Amino acid sequence: MVTHFSRFQHLLLQPRLLSSHQSRALQHPLIRTLTVIRSVMGSSSSSSSSKLLFRQLFEKESSTFTYLLADVSNPVKPALLIDPVDKTVDRDLKLINELGLKLVYAMNTHVHADHVTGTGLLKTKVPGVKSVISKASGSKADMFLEPGDRVSIGDIYLEVRATPGHTAGCVTYVTGEEADQPQPRMAFTGDAVLIRGCGRTDFQGGSSDQLYESVHSQASFHANLIFTLPKDTLIYPAHDYKGYEVSTVGEEMQHNPRLTKDKETFKSIMSNLNLAYPKMIDVAVPANMVCGLQDLPPQANL
Amino acid sequence: MVTHFSRFQHLLLQPRLLSSHQSRALQHPLIRTLTVIRSVMGSSSSSSSSKLLFRQLFEKESSTFTYLLADVSNPVKPALLIDPVDKTVDRDLKLINELGLKLVYAMNTHVHADHVTGTGLLKTKVPGVKSVISKASGSKADMFLEPGDRVSIGDIYLEVRATPGHTAGCVTYVTGEEADQPQPRMAFTGDAVLIRGCGRTDFQGGSSDQLYESVHSQASFHANLIFTLPKDTLIYPAHDYKGYEVSTVGEEMQHNPRLTKDKETFKSIMSNLNLAYPKMIDVAVPANMVCGLQDLPPQANL
């Protein structure tokens, strides 16, 4: 655990202190209803997933997904956003306010090249929110993560896995494996694994060799990355361009047209994509290297 | 029972004549999946929601959601699509094939004015698929539904609730309330209830008065419609224009800016929207009145 988390110890509860009955009793009936974890590939959900409020949100112009997670079994209802977009910050905050959540972390999976992150704006609109990104990103932020770190909101936590290749600092956030964590597990893969695709590897320290290893490697625990997660793990990517919203590890292992290939074939595919220069990159990357608008003064809360 | 069901009489089980055990034993795996029966079926005792495979899919141009539901506990993996779009039929069929599902029904919540339904194309590409819509829609289809009807895939069923107002023939499909059905329940509301909004009511037999009643009424069982469902019922609309994907009955009861108002205020809001004439309506409605391309000859399966 990096030292930055010590400030937030009050949000880190010990899940075993509450019985399932007690946990339920604490939940407001309206909020308790918002779990959307069941669903995919016939995987069952554990009783404890009822504490998770989860929403996937979409920004149409850059086809970016923002994820909202909160522990609604906790009286504070602590919440985090993964990959917020500057243009949809007001929408996200409206929803957070309506649901009675307390936004604690605004996290990024990496320094995006196709949109400006919302973390800077969020910090100005909700004083106290901490911007979070990997140390390897080289970006400015309030908190820096390294592989193996955990980010907790109430009883729910995300573990950090380094998945470089799209950029050198890409990480995947994965929910915990214990029975009291949401089941099936959820992996927020950024641009490392997209549904039936993957992020490009031709800029920002990208490397197709490294991306392949990030997805397939079983070399060590922290390199035991995406395709070695349980097959029913839900994959929530940073983008989708075809109208998909979620996949599973098992599905991508079987049907991803790039990542199912051997490494040399994958590298050849990636080096022959002939993609256009990203139209937003010259605006987005400099802004995102300082988490959007890192040092703007606080504004009134929405 | 409308006469169109007579073709499917061999698929209609008499639930009260058989014990749950006998019923299961007698049901051929394929036949069991295809039941379209009127309501008041006794609840069975199987336990899990893990049998449901669920995917929400998005068509960006018309901001339309298509829903895929399948019972993956059944060897046949019978599936249905709600509100498929012609432009994304190939994507939907690719996913269905990859997941090993058998598409049985292509259903619509209503005759859409903003896009051409995919049901006609699906029928040409997957022989045997039945197009399904409400009788009140006046549209052509293979099967017509009335309030209280059920559409089953394997052990999972949707019940039909009439929710007119956006169009005269709008229905909402709601998963069953029994413990062996997905929990929380799911309501596919079409354009009746959108997330923080609702469908327009100024064409195609629309009526703001009727829409208000469809959402709020508690007059009788089948008019016990959307806001009288359990508050944790998940609302999956036909469209979203702001990047939301799901809401709940409780959330819309509290935060829907139109439907939380009294009826007269609601009617006033709806009559002052000053919306543009729908750009697709002159193409979409005539096509959708025959479920897309109802009578095209079959093509090879994808």
Side-chain angles (χ1 to χ4, degrees), chain B residues 214-234:
Chain B
S214 290
V215 174
H216 288 274
S217 172
Q218 303 185 45
S220 69
F221 176 74
H222 292 313
N224 191 347
L225 299 169
I226 298 178
F227 278 4
T228 52
L229 283 163
K231 286 184 180 173
D232 64 352
T233 304
L234 300 165

Side-chain angles (χ1 to χ4, degrees), chain A:
Chain A
M1 179 79 60
V2 291
T3 54
H4 302 85
F5 287 127
S6 58
R7 279 172 283 165
F8 308 100
Q9 280 298 335
H10 64 289
L11 298 176
L12 308 179
L13 299 182
Q14 300 304 311
R16 305 227 179 264
L17 297 182
L18 294 178
S19 70
S20 147
H21 176 73
Q22 289 169 319
S23 175
R24 274 197 202 96
L26 280 175
Q27 293 172 40
H28 185 283
L30 196 149
I31 300 301
R32 186 181 50 184
T33 67
L34 304 175
T35 52
V36 189
I37 297 300
R38 294 156 296 125
S39 72
V40 184
M41 291 305 288
S43 302
S44 59
S45 58
S46 75
S47 58
S48 63
S49 68
S50 61
K51 62 191 169 197
L52 175 68
L53 181 152
F54 174 66
R55 291 291 166 89
Q56 183 181 39
L57 300 154
F58 189 59
E59 197 282 309
K60 218 169 165 179
E61 195 175 323
S62 61
S63 295
T64 300
F65 289 120
T66 296
Y67 298 97
L68 172 65
L69 288 84
D71 179 357
V72 289
S73 73
N74 183 297
V76 175
K77 295 178 186 163
L80 61 81
L81 285 169
I82 299 174
D83 289 336
V85 178
D86 61 345
K87 292 178 181 171
T88 41
V89 156
D90 288 346
R91 174 202 63 189
D92 300 347
L93 286 180
K94 181 169 175 282
L95 181 63
I96 284 167
N97 288 339
E98 286 173 350
L99 297 174
L101 310 178
K102 178 179 170 56
L103 184 63
V104 181
Y105 301 123
M107 307 169 63
N108 278 294
T109 52
H110 63 290
V111 173
H112 304 275
D114 57 350
H115 67 273
V116 175
T117 177
T119 50
L121 265 177
L122 285 164
K123 279 169 56 66
T124 68
K125 293 179 182 244
V126 188
V129 168
K130 303 297 174 196
S131 58
V132 183
I133 200 164
S134 73
K135 188 176 178 189
S137 71
S139 170
K140 192 167 179 180
D142 295 318
M143 293 166 44
F144 300 100
L145 300 171
E146 295 188 80
D149 282 348
R150 290 184 179 188
V151 180
S152 295
I153 42 165
D155 290 348
I156 297 163
Y157 73 87
L158 297 171
E159 63 178 48
V160 179
R161 296 182 177 215
T163 49
H166 170 62
T167 74
C170 285
V171 294
T172 290
Y173 299 115
V174 187
T175 56
E177 66 183 332
E178 295 84 355
D180 69 318
Q181 296 297 311
Q183 300 295 334
R185 298 178 77 178
M186 309 161 83
F188 301 94
T189 53
D191 284 30
V193 176
L194 305 179
I195 299 171
R196 310 296 191 267
C198 65
R200 60 195 293 178
T201 55
D202 57 341
F203 59 76
Q204 276 184 277
S207 156
S208 58
D209 190 288
Q210 208 172 31
L211 180 56
Y212 196 87
E213 288 299 318
S214 289
V215 175
H216 289 275
S217 172
Q218 303 185 45
S220 69
F221 174 74
H222 293 312
N224 189 350
L225 299 169
I226 299 177
F227 278 4
T228 53
L229 283 163
K231 287 186 181 173
D232 64 353
T233 304
L234 301 166
I235 289 187
Y236 286 106
H239 304 283
D240 193 87
Y241 306 97
K242 293 180 182 170
Y244 298 116
E245 295 177 358
V246 64
S247 183
T248 65
V249 166
E251 230 180 285
E252 294 309 314
M253 287 175 72
Q254 199 170 353
H255 298 296
N256 190 298
R258 296 177 183 174
L259 291 162
T260 47
K261 302 291 193 294
D262 63 78
K263 191 199 274 192
E264 290 312 309
T265 307
F266 175 75
K267 286 165 67 175
S268 170
I269 291 171
M270 296 308 289
S271 62
N272 287 290
L273 293 177
N274 299 316
L275 296 171
Y277 188 72
K279 59 184 176 185
M280 278 289 288
I281 192 168
D282 295 325
V283 173
V285 170
N288 292 337
M289 287 298 286
V290 290
C291 272
L293 305 162
Q294 182 68 17
D295 292 324
L296 275 194
Q299 298 176 4
N301 199 343
L302 276 193

Side-chain angles (χ1 to χ4, degrees), chain B residues 66-82:
Chain B
T66 296
Y67 298 96
L68 173 65
L69 288 86
D71 180 354
V72 290
S73 73
N74 184 297
V76 174
K77 296 183 181 164
L80 61 82
L81 284 170
I82 298 173

